[in-house]
């Protein structure tokens, strides 16, 4: 679902979850930065990068847990929300993104919940797990050499999914815990950020990562953490054609141990 780069690059690298000829499909992509640190038009949460800016740290593992929030859908509006952990994708020089999580797509006033993984620039893959509001989900991404191992555990239903994917050069430049407004792509490849569905609040817990063999949490001084607020691009009309979406999201403060934080949906986050 995505990276912190310029909009044109992000759109070009968008990946489709489930394509259907002649219709739009929900997608995930790199974050789209408006050049202001800590602001994105499609991400909200926390990202970690090498504090030196020299790329000396390589993040090889990330994990997090959350309870699937109830998503409220407005009748007649197409919207979406996704929650995930990932590696790579948050810097302007990122070349890929390895991620996994859950999502909720709104259509005709009804949310559809699901689990997924994505190795950009390849397409997203919906996985065969039942996901319902209130379910406790733990996801992780682990990389060793060219093997990317993604895992999703539904702790409530005692089910899990694990997949190993070979990636020639996985992006290890960052780690993320994100709530996202996915995009939609038409059958001819035009992509646009969807309005962020009203998920209320989601809390990430048990957050942990490993970079260059050093384990730690989000506030570990070994790396730099950035809180990202989702502020919609007011210049883009909503996918549903009802004018520009103003919905956004903002992360709360980190817990003292750096292992948890909340993200809150905002009805009006437009600048």
């Amino acid at each position: 679902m995505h990276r912190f780069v310029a909009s044109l690059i992000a759109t070009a690298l968008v990946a489709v979850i489930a394509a259907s000829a002649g219709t739009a499909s929900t997608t995930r992509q790199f974050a789209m930065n408006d050049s202001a640190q800590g602001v994105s038009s499609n991400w909200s949460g926390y990202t970690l990068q090498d504090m030196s800016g020299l790329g000396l740290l390589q993040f090889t593992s990330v994990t997090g847990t959350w309870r699937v929030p109830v998503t409220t859908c407005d009748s007649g509006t197409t919207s979406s929300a996704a929650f995930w952990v990932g590696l790579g994708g948050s810097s302007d020089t990122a070349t890929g993104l390895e991620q996994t999580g859950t999502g909720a797509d709104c259509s005709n006033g009804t949310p559809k919940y699901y689990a997924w993984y994505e190795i950009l620039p390849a397409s997203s893959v919906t996985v065969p797990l039942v996901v319902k509001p209130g379910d406790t989900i733990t996801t992780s991404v682990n990389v060793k050499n060219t093997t990317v191992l993604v895992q999703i555990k539904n702790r409530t239903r005692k089910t899990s999914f694990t997949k190993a994917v070979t990636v020639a050069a996985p992006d290890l430049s960052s780690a993320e815990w994100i709530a996202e407004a996915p995009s939609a792509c038409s059958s001819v490849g035009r992509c646009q950020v969807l309005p962020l569905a009203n998920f209320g609040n989601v809390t990430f817990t048990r957050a942990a990562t490993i970079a260059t063999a050093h384990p730690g949490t989000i506030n570990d001084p070994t790396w730099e953490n950035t809180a990202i607020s989702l502020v919609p691009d007011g210049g883009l009309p909503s996918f549903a054609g009802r004018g520009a979406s103003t919905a956004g999201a903002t992360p709360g403060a980190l817990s003292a141990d750096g292992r948890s934080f909340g993200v809150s949906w905002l009805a009006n986050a437009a600048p």
Side-chain angles (χ1 to χ4, degrees):
M1 272 189 181
H2 337 165
R3 175 180 91 177
F4 222 50
V5 297
S7 298
L8 290 179
I9 297 175
T11 300
L13 292 174
V14 93
V16 177
I17 288 179
S20 175
T23 63
S25 57
T26 310
T27 70
R28 280 169 267 287
Q29 62 187 39
F30 294 108
M32 290 182 282
N33 183 13
D34 68 358
S35 297
Q37 185 182 30
V39 176
S40 169
S41 62
N42 63 334
W43 284 17
S44 181
Y46 278 83
T47 67
L48 306 180
Q49 294 188 54
D50 185 352
M51 188 176 298
S52 71
L54 300 176
L56 301 178
L57 289 179
Q58 288 195 320
F59 292 87
T60 55
S61 177
V62 63
T63 186
T65 296
W66 61 91
R67 181 172 293 178
V68 177
V70 174
T71 297
T72 302
C73 300
D74 291 334
S75 179
T77 299
T78 300
S79 60
S80 184
F83 314 97
W84 52 269
V85 304
L87 297 173
S90 68
S91 72
D92 289 343
T93 58
T95 57
L97 174 57
E98 306 86 45
Q99 57 187 168
T100 186
T102 62
D105 294 342
C106 288
S107 180
N108 297 321
T110 302
K112 177 183 178 182
Y113 300 91
Y114 55 94
W116 56 274
Y117 74 88
E118 183 176 35
I119 312 294
L120 282 173
S123 298
S124 295
V125 178
T126 302
V127 306
L129 288 180
V130 174
V131 174
K132 299 293 184 181
D135 287 358
T136 297
I137 305 293
T138 295
T139 65
S140 62
V141 179
N142 295 279
V143 177
K144 184 176 182 180
N145 300 321
T146 59
T147 300
V148 177
L149 185 70
V150 296
Q151 186 173 66
I152 306 171
K153 294 182 179 180
N154 188 325
R155 297 185 177 277
T156 301
R157 301 178 186 278
K158 296 179 173 57
T159 56
S160 64
F161 173 86
T162 302
K163 178 72 173 181
V165 181
T166 299
V167 179
D171 190 329
L172 308 178
S173 61
S174 60
E176 301 90 24
W177 298 260
I178 297 295
E180 180 175 358
S183 295
C185 288
S186 69
S187 59
V188 295
R190 292 187 176 182
C191 302
Q192 183 176 318
V193 177
L194 288 168
L196 180 64
N198 182 357
F199 61 85
N201 298 277
V202 65
T203 299
F204 289 87
T205 63
R206 301 181 183 179
T209 190
I210 298 175
T212 314
H214 176 80
T217 60
I218 297 175
N219 62 358
D220 191 302
T222 305
W223 37 72
E224 180 179 26
N225 73 72
T226 302
I228 307 296
S229 294
L230 194 163
V231 178
D233 185 343
L236 293 176
S238 74
F239 185 80
R242 290 188 171 183
S245 173
T246 61
T250 186
L254 290 170
S255 61
D257 62 3
R259 300 199 67 188
S260 64
F261 66 92
V263 178
S264 300
W265 182 84
L266 301 174
N268 187 0

